Amino acid sequence: MNRPEDDAGPALFKVEIAPQGWQFDCAPDQTLLLAALEWGFRMPHSCRNGSCRACIARLLAGRIEHRIEWPGLSAEEKAEGWILPCVACPREPLRVEAPATVSLFDAP
Ligand code: FES
């Protein structure tokens, strides 16, 4: 039996990249990195599995869940708001500090 929210599909959460102010939508089952890439925002990345830390960013507002139990972050880093967007999924609208992100639609 379907619940009403099943028919509507998953909610999308707004993600804002700081300091640029760019925004994109991310589904709760999608990683921030993949959603950003789909929307034309290139965040630094390499392994895409939460181990290399190339994508490290800071969560300024909102709540995420990491897809893996032990992402490559220390407890102190997590407490300070550091996240790994390649394995992070939104649970609320987010504001993420990722200054090295570039927009593929903005000419230099
Ligand atoms: S791309 Fe390697 S930890 Fe995110």
Side-chain angles (χ1 to χ4, degrees), residues 33 44-56 72 84-87:
L33 174 64
H45 64 278
S46 181
C47 71
R48 297 187 185 208
N49 65 20
S51 58
C52 76
R53 297 168 54 101
C55 65
I56 194 165
L84 296 174
C86 68
V87 289

